[in-house]
Structure formats: C-alpha cells, structure tokens
Amino acid sequence: MKLDFSLLNDIVAVANAGGFREAARVTGSNPSRLSDAVRRAEQQLGVRLFNRTTRTVVLTEAGRALMERLQPAMSEVDAALDAINRYRTTPSGTLRLNVPVSAARLVLPAIVPSFLAQYPDIRLEIVAESNVQDVFRDNCDAGIRYDESLEQDMIALPIGPRRQRFAAAAAPTYLQRYGLPQHPRDLISHNCIRGRYASGVMPEWEFTREGETLRIQVNGSLVVSVGSAIDLAVQAAIAGSGIIYLFEEWLRPSLENGALTPLLEPWWQSFSGPWLYYNSRRLIPAPLQAFIDFIRAQGQATDI
C-alpha cells in the first residue's frame, strides 16, 4: 500500500489540532487544502481516517490506529532531519514560542532582532496571548512565563530583566481633580482601571513595603482584558480616566514624558523576571537549541 509522504504531515496536523481550521492556523496553511489532503489520503489508503461533521473532526478507529504508529515514526523522521541540521554552520527551521503579551512587549524586543541577525535561516514565530497556560499549545517548542515553579521534566532558563516592578500611576489631570492617594488603601475610593484574565479573574492590586503586604480590591469604570487590551488601559489612564497599576517598564515612557505621574512608589511590588521554559525530555530541535545558546550567551544564564 502506497501513500504520498507529503500527506502524512497533514494527517498528523489535523489529528493533533482536532480540526481543519485549527490545523491550518497552526501550520500556516488553509482549511480547504488540508481537507483535500486528508480526502486524498483516505482514497489512497481505502479507509476513512476522520469522521467529519460541520462542527467536529474526529479520528475513526482506523485513524487512531494509524496515529498510534505514525506519530512516533514522524517524530523519528524529525529527529533524523534535525540531527543533520546540527551540522549546518547556521541552523535552520522554525522556532515557535508561546509567550504572554507582556513578554512580547517588554522582553523580546531586546532579543529578537539580534537573534534573527545571528541566525538568518531560522523562522521565529511568536504566539502571544493573555490566557497563558499550556507552554506547548499550538505546537510551540518553548514558552516564556513569570512563574518560576517548575512542572515535572521542565527546565527554566532566565530571560530578560531579573527583577521587575508594578507601578501605580495616573494623569496629572486626574490627580488635580480627585487628589493624590497617600496610602494603598486610599485607592478604594478612586477610579481604578482594572484588568480581567481570560479565566474571568480580576486580580487584587498587591503592594509591599518593609515586609508589609497589602492586597487591595479596587473598583473603577473601565475593565480591560489582561494582555490584549492593556494599551487601551494605558491610553485611558493618560487621558485621565483613572489610576493604572501595571509593569513599570510598560509605563516608563509615559512616566518619563510626564503624561503619567507615579503614585505610591515606596509600595511598588517587585517580582522575579521571566523564564524560558522547555521540556527536558523532548528532543531539543536545532532552532530552539540555538535560541537557548543565544540567551545563555547574552545573560550567562544557568538552567534550573
């Protein structure tokens, strides 16, 4: 029985993604091409691999049996090709990173241009989202997170600044109208611009000074999605709509040009900088290894 080898990757992509649209998004293809590829594979094999409805694409029993044997084999093929890739003077291939929007804004701009200049044959894809849970979502090779607690078999490599702070700020026009808060508890009576995670949680604002930690449940007339709508929150704060509490580096341009005034600075909470996460048990592809080596060389980082 013969099957065009080019169809195998399409079958695996659709099976892993659970649908043609999602597989097309992950692979950079289009749903109709993938649907045609699966149809041709089924014709050549003489069996149905997927049960398809208008809403779902599910492996048949034959499809599951094929995937059980096919995925390990495809992994071996990828490993063999990547072993050759390591002998190249300049590694090539695609590196996909899953990162929070804050990292895409505050960490990667200082890294990406010089990395791409050093490795021109690597295509870097950044998946930036506010709902950062699964590092390996969307077939990503690694991810950036701010939580240094490690899951089993995970390695964390420091990336970017090692200490960061949250900063509270408001526009001069807002402070002229509503007054200057002298203590974090004063924020309860102010109009604060809040963020909501994809999970629906609106976090408290946390402040620390001389070992004392305060968590304040603030209120306000504007709520934005954490990550994707933070720029709107900053612009609203500059326009005088309320007090904002955000990464200091995100607010720094507005603090330096006077568009925003820093508030309660002795209480600003500092926290550990971000980490590059990857799985120690997975074969590290050449593009990811190149990125790891690049980060180590930049910051003399040590794996955890």
Side-chain angles (χ1 to χ4, degrees):
M1 183 180 299
K2 293 184 178 181
L3 176 69
D4 291 344
F5 190 81
S6 61
L7 301 179
L8 295 179
N9 284 324
D10 295 331
I11 295 171
V12 172
V14 173
N16 287 337
F20 296 111
R21 291 185 179 278
E22 182 67 11
R25 185 180 69 83
V26 171
T27 62
S29 182
N30 63 76
S32 60
R33 192 198 70 78
L34 291 174
S35 178
D36 181 65
V38 169
R39 179 186 57 78
R40 288 189 288 120
E42 289 176 332
Q43 288 178 343
Q44 293 180 27
L45 292 172
V47 296
R48 178 177 289 275
L49 300 175
F50 297 91
N51 288 320
R52 303 187 271 287
T53 69
T54 56
R55 294 186 177 182
T56 61
V57 178
V58 181
L59 284 167
T60 63
E61 183 177 355
R64 290 194 297 271
L66 176 63
M67 289 300 296
E68 288 177 1
R69 302 292 295 272
L70 184 58
Q71 284 189 313
M74 295 298 289
S75 296
E76 285 299 316
V77 170
D78 290 340
L81 294 176
D82 204 64
I84 299 299
N85 194 18
R86 295 173 189 273
Y87 288 95
R88 292 169 50 92
T89 303
T90 304
S92 65
T94 299
L95 171 61
R96 290 174 61 84
L97 299 180
N98 183 299
V99 307
V101 173
S102 56
R105 175 70 180 267
L106 305 177
V107 176
L108 292 180
I111 296 172
V112 167
S114 52
F115 172 74
L116 294 178
Q118 185 168 331
Y119 297 99
D121 294 334
I122 291 178
R123 185 178 74 173
L124 180 62
E125 295 187 15
I126 304 298
V127 179
E129 55 185 357
S130 57
N131 186 24
V132 286
Q133 295 182 10
D134 183 5
V135 168
F136 302 111
R137 181 182 173 185
D138 296 330
N139 289 334
C140 288
D141 302 291
I144 294 177
R145 296 290 183 269
Y146 283 89
D147 184 0
E148 61 184 274
S149 62
L150 300 181
E151 297 178 10
Q152 186 177 8
D153 303 326
M154 294 290 287
I155 292 178
L157 184 72
I159 183 172
R162 299 323 308 143
R163 299 302 300 176
Q164 293 182 279
R165 293 196 299 176
F166 283 112
T173 53
Y174 175 89
L175 297 176
Q176 290 170 6
R177 185 174 180 180
Y178 297 104
L180 188 72
Q182 301 296 323
H183 190 277
R185 293 191 185 92
D186 296 341
L187 296 174
I188 295 174
S189 61
H190 278 269
N191 194 14
C192 297
I193 300 173
R194 296 177 293 170
R196 187 196 305 273
Y197 287 104
S199 63
V201 173
M202 286 195 292
E204 297 175 317
W205 289 9
E206 190 167 308
F207 298 87
T208 302
R209 183 179 186 181
E210 297 177 355
E212 180 184 5
T213 297
L214 294 177
R215 294 177 178 85
I216 309 297
Q217 185 63 61
V218 298
N219 293 289
S221 56
L222 177 62
V223 178
V224 303
S225 296
V226 172
S228 57
I230 290 299
D231 281 331
L232 170 62
V234 175
Q235 292 305 312
I238 292 173
S241 297
I243 296 175
I244 192 169
Y245 193 48
L246 189 60
F247 289 96
E248 180 183 5
E249 290 303 312
W250 207 315
L251 297 180
R252 181 162 298 286
S254 300
L255 294 172
E256 291 180 345
N257 65 23
L260 292 175
T261 299
L263 307 174
L264 306 169
E265 187 166 357
W267 287 91
W268 289 1
Q269 188 179 62
S270 65
F271 55 95
S272 174
W275 305 79
L276 176 72
Y277 282 82
Y278 58 97
N279 195 313
S280 64
R281 289 186 178 270
R282 292 189 177 188
L283 173 73
I284 298 178
L288 176 56
Q289 187 62 60
F291 190 72
I292 291 170
D293 293 342
F294 183 82
I295 296 303
R296 283 180 178 145
Q298 274 201 332
Q300 294 79 47
T302 302
D303 291 348
I304 291 180

